[in-house]
Amino acid sequence: MSKQTISILDNTTARTTDLPVIEGTLGHPTVDIHALNSKLGYFTYDPGFASTASCKSAITYIDGEAGLLLHRGYPIDQLAEKSSFLEVAYLLMHSELPNQHELDTFVSEVKRYSIIHEKLRGFIDGFHYDAHPMAMMVGVVGSLSAFYHSELDMEDPEHRRISALRLLAKMPTIAAACHKHSIGEAFIYPREDLEYCENFLNMMFSRPSHQQFYIDQHHYLDPMAAKVLNLLFILHADHGQNASTSTVRLASSTGANPYACIAAGIAALWGPAHGGANEAVLSMLEDIGHPRRIPEFIKRAKDKNDSFKLMGFGHRVYKNFDPRATIIRQTCHTLLDNLACEDPLFDLAMELEEIALMDDYFIERKLYPNVDFYSGIIYKALRIPVNMFTVMFTLARTAGWVSHWLEFMSDPNRRISRPRQLYVGVGPRDYAPLDKR
Ligand code: SDX
């Protein structure tokens, strides 16, 4: 272990203290400030956690300058090219790639757990028909905690493993059921003869009342859909301490039920600055409406007095390029060519991308299209309803959330997350009775 320290001098009191520097396997050295308050009486202030490592993790490494993303050491481009989503999920959860037997067992367990309790469907039915699917996801996944609570021993690693598996397995079934509810169609049961993405598409698009089964007749979508979905799910599976994963960890730190913790992650993902961006990209494109209006929207994005931002552009960590966006961009173009998509929004998106990438404002701030600029466009090409885009992100990110939950719960040094605050309110004062105010 490194003996490097960093000295802090308090100019007011002339007191100094040495803080240890911790080295990870890769990446920036990190100052361990946990004793700062006891030594010098200070807290640190870091809005948005721009310089703060909130935990140690061995799952995902990101180098934002180099555009590097590794899962358990494996580069994302290799995983995207060679593996399946469930293989990546196994890798994230178990630290190593599975051998054939381990993968087969994992896949069959996921299939076995994909069915949902009939009573859970009652929760979905309770939503109004026009409820946003993400609102349903937050509620329904949270309500799994009511089904799996009393027998759950979170100190038992096997109980934790099963909880993680259940979440991964049931998420597509719940997501498709929410979609079916919102369009007033019958629930489609999961099928064990289909692989993960095929099964999801079948539950989304099959219509038994018309004797039409998506997967048998490829009735509604191009057969390459499952393949593309598999790629998108791999690219979205995990991304370190993003807002939703940090939320899952924070909720878990209280010892809360895992299904409730993942519901908290879903809620955090929904925002347009995070996973909701893929849906927001499509709304933005619709608002722009025509290529001739692009300059007007670019101007608005640059205007500090306008809250409008170019959705799908920029990233907290990537200041060069998002390696996932590079992979997905290629797929996006191939898919649009193959499907011979004639949707004018696609042409508009490609033109917006081109214009923004040449604009000084975006170049200076290193604002590039992120993974969600393209994912929304691809989901649209696959005919996934726009209000389901962030739900798609939820399915994929569940692999990451449960892996971080497993890692956190097995950490012998885990503590409740309890940030401090810099109080800027009114100082102590006396209560005045109503007639004296
Ligand atoms: C995801 O964290 C993750 O890992 C997330 C994620 C994952 O896999 O989990 O990768 C998924 O959430 C992708 C991000 C999706 N969100 C969007 O596409 C929404 C649009 N993007 C922005 O809102 C924004 O870029 C964020 C939220 C992604 C990042 O916000 P930061 O880190 O707070 O941005 P910043 O402060 O570093 O911005 C620097 C400058 C600012 O201008 P100045 O004050 O320096 O003049 O760039 C400007 C910002 O105003 N800016 C933008 C912009 N994004 C940043 N200006 C116009 N349009 C934008 N999209």
Side-chain angles (χ1 to χ4, degrees):
M1 196 177 140
S2 162
K3 294 266 184 330
Q4 192 191 338
T5 57
I6 199 159
S7 295
I8 307 240
L9 164 64
D10 180 344
N11 288 318
T12 315
T13 62
R15 281 194 301 160
T16 59
T17 191
D18 289 339
L19 297 174
V21 173
I22 321 171
E23 296 276 357
T25 326
L26 300 167
H28 291 262
T30 299
V31 183
D32 178 351
I33 57 156
H34 87 270
L36 182 67
N37 182 249
S38 61
K39 288 187 171 172
L40 290 183
Y42 289 100
F43 293 126
T44 55
Y45 177 61
D46 182 19
F49 300 107
S51 297
T52 299
S54 63
C55 64
K56 291 181 186 171
S57 179
I59 300 174
T60 288
Y61 174 72
I62 305 168
D63 181 336
E65 293 300 326
L68 181 69
L69 170 59
L70 308 175
H71 291 319
R72 303 285 189 187
Y74 294 103
I76 189 64
D77 52 324
Q78 291 184 24
L79 294 171
E81 190 192 333
K82 297 176 180 156
S83 66
S84 68
F85 171 64
L86 284 187
E87 200 181 344
V88 172
Y90 183 100
L91 171 70
L92 295 171
M93 288 165 71
H94 297 277
S95 315
E96 294 297 337
L97 283 169
N99 62 30
Q100 190 63 56
H101 172 70
E102 288 164 337
L103 183 62
D104 291 347
T105 309
F106 184 69
V107 168
S108 72
E109 282 190 303
V110 168
K111 285 181 176 177
R112 187 148 49 85
Y113 283 113
S114 63
I115 191 80
I116 53 174
H117 196 292
E118 286 295 307
K119 291 282 181 207
L120 191 75
R121 288 173 54 197
F123 283 78
I124 297 170
D125 289 341
F127 281 95
H128 202 46
Y129 73 94
D130 62 353
H132 193 286
M134 280 299 281
M136 291 194 249
M137 291 297 288
V138 173
V140 176
V141 173
S143 70
L144 283 174
S145 56
F147 291 78
Y148 309 104
H149 187 74
S150 52
E151 89 287 16
L152 194 64
D153 175 4
M154 289 209 289
E155 296 312 313
D156 182 337
E158 182 57 8
H159 278 219
R160 297 200 295 260
R161 191 185 74 85
I162 299 293
S163 300
L165 259 178
R166 263 199 202 115
L167 277 155
L168 190 68
K170 293 188 195 307
M171 210 55 93
T173 316
I174 294 172
C178 290
H179 169 62
K180 286 296 192 185
H181 174 73
S182 65
I183 58 169
E185 283 188 8
F187 171 73
I188 304 289
Y189 284 91
R191 274 174 45 181
E192 293 202 11
D193 59 318
L194 301 177
E195 65 83 26
Y196 194 83
C197 293
E198 286 177 340
N199 178 45
F200 172 67
L201 287 169
N202 190 59
M203 290 187 291
M204 282 283 290
F205 297 110
S206 269
R207 300 175 71 190
S209 57
H210 297 166
Q211 299 301 308
Q212 289 175 338
F213 293 93
Y214 161 72
I215 215 68
D216 298 328
Q217 300 182 11
H218 296 300
H219 218 88
Y220 302 102
L221 291 173
D222 191 277
M224 78 193 302
K227 202 169 158 243
V228 173
L229 212 54
N230 182 66
L231 172 69
L232 285 173
F233 282 4
I234 291 173
L235 298 181
H236 280 101
D238 189 49
H239 211 236
Q241 303 313 311
N242 56 84
S244 55
T245 303
S246 301
T247 301
V248 170
R249 279 189 178 255
L250 198 131
S252 312
S253 78
T254 68
N257 179 290
Y259 306 95
C261 295
I262 301 300
I266 298 173
L269 186 76
W270 192 5
H274 190 18
N278 54 15
E279 184 178 339
V281 167
L282 258 287
S283 310
M284 174 187 76
L285 293 174
E286 274 162 10
D287 287 348
I288 298 174
H290 192 280
R292 72 168 171 273
R293 294 191 67 205
I294 292 175
E296 178 194 327
F297 280 80
I298 297 261
K299 196 172 162 209
R300 284 188 60 198
K302 298 194 271 191
D303 181 355
K304 291 291 158 220
N305 298 317
D306 190 328
S307 61
F308 174 77
K309 289 232 183 333
L310 220 49
M311 288 291 125
F313 278 76
H315 199 276
R316 169 61 61 80
V317 182
Y318 293 121
K319 297 300 175 198
N320 193 340
F321 64 95
D322 179 340
R324 304 166 300 173
T326 310
I327 299 168
I328 213 175
R329 184 178 190 279
Q330 184 54 43
T331 309
C332 188
H333 285 284
T334 313
L335 188 69
L336 298 186
D337 290 346
N338 281 358
L339 295 180
C341 286
E342 284 174 12
D343 191 329
L345 282 191
F346 300 139
D347 297 331
L348 179 62
M350 294 306 121
E351 203 160 328
L352 174 64
E353 177 202 46
E354 208 178 310
I355 293 175
L357 286 175
M358 288 187 316
D359 190 291
D360 283 348
Y361 173 96
F362 290 88
I363 295 169
E364 279 160 19
R365 288 168 182 74
K366 303 186 174 188
L367 299 170
Y368 297 90
N370 58 51
V371 68
D372 291 310
F373 182 72
Y374 303 102
S375 69
I377 299 168
I378 295 179
Y379 287 137
K380 177 113 198 301
L382 295 178
R383 294 182 216 168
I384 303 285
V386 176
N387 66 2
M388 285 292 287
F389 288 5
T390 311
V391 175
M392 308 299 285
F393 196 155
T394 302
L395 301 193
R397 188 50 58 85
T398 299
W401 290 332
V402 298
S403 303
H404 284 271
W405 179 76
L406 288 169
E407 183 179 68
F408 181 72
M409 294 306 288
S410 62
D411 181 351
N413 299 319
R414 74 172 192 262
R415 295 178 79 188
I416 188 167
S417 294
R418 195 1 181 136
R420 301 291 183 144
Q421 63 173 20
L422 178 65
Y423 176 71
V424 293
V426 181
R429 51 180 166 168
D430 289 328
Y431 177 86
L434 268 178
D435 61 342
K436 296 274 180 330
R437 285 175 218 164

